[in-house]
Amino acid sequence: MESSDAELWERSRRGDADAFGLLFDRHARLIYNYCFRRIGNQATAQDMVSVVFLQAWRRREKELPPDKVLPWLYGIATNVVRHQRRSELRFRVALSRLPTPEVGPDVAGAADERIDNERRAHKALNLLRELPRREQDVFVLCVGMELSYEDAALALGVPVGTVRSRLSRARARLREPNSGYGHRKSKCKSAKEASHQ
């Protein structure tokens, strides 16, 4: 019979690297998918998975509620994503100070599928980035990764009601693109306005 996450975590807490390896095997793909949906770069997302699990191993003394290892890992991944974004911003600022390099030869080839995946991810990310960061976190966890409200609350360290309200606002804002996060103004004239014409 396969060990539960809770059992593997308890063994990991006692320093059992094999048990932790089983948790990695079980959840690394989900953490990768989450990071990719937040960053839009496959190589960076793979690196971030390593960082998430390294941090989890270093924090293995943490006592978790039963079967809440995955939401806790999503919480670590959310913080890693935030750190990555800050690093990328500092890097872009530094690059903007350098002279523009000459264009080199086109070496594209077998990377077409990867580029297409990243292009689709960037399109979704651009839409997602219109939301406040807190709503982004909740939206990707609940909608993209299909976490329950309770698990998302655990991952983000906020009350369940906060998750519900942030998700509701995010969904409303995504349904009303280009509306300045408010309701669209009606183009119809009121009866009073029409009578004055």
Side-chain angles (χ1 to χ4, degrees), residues 3-27 53 57:
S3 298
S4 70
D5 280 2
E7 292 166 338
L8 292 174
W9 183 245
E10 281 306 310
R11 287 169 45 198
S12 298
R13 291 182 71 208
R14 295 190 297 269
D16 185 338
D18 291 334
F20 189 79
L22 291 172
L23 285 171
F24 177 88
D25 292 343
R26 188 175 290 175
H27 298 305
F53 280 92
W57 176 253

Side-chain angles (χ1 to χ4, degrees), residues 130-197:
E130 293 180 11
L131 298 174
R133 182 154 307 164
R134 290 176 175 180
E135 290 177 19
Q136 292 177 31
D137 296 341
V138 169
F139 187 83
V140 175
L141 286 172
C142 292
V143 176
M145 306 312 298
E146 300 179 354
L147 256 65
S148 67
Y149 294 138
E150 293 78 14
D151 287 351
L154 180 95
L156 299 173
V158 298
V160 173
T162 301
V163 169
R164 289 179 191 274
S165 63
R166 287 179 185 172
L167 183 59
S168 176
R169 284 193 302 270
R171 285 180 168 154
R173 289 176 177 166
L174 290 173
R175 278 192 297 268
E176 295 185 14
N178 303 321
S179 65
Y181 294 149
H183 294 287
R184 295 174 196 228
K185 293 183 179 178
S186 174
K187 292 183 181 179
C188 299
K189 296 178 184 174
S190 68
K192 186 176 181 180
E193 288 174 321
S195 67
H196 288 299
Q197 290 185 347

Side-chain angles (χ1 to χ4, degrees), residues 23-49:
L23 285 171
F24 177 88
D25 292 343
R26 188 175 290 175
H27 298 305
R29 190 71 185 160
L30 291 169
I31 297 300
Y32 166 81
N33 287 339
Y34 175 71
C35 293
F36 179 70
R37 288 175 181 186
R38 300 305 307 276
I39 295 296
N41 181 292
Q42 293 177 355
T44 303
Q46 288 170 350
D47 291 343
M48 293 171 78
V49 170

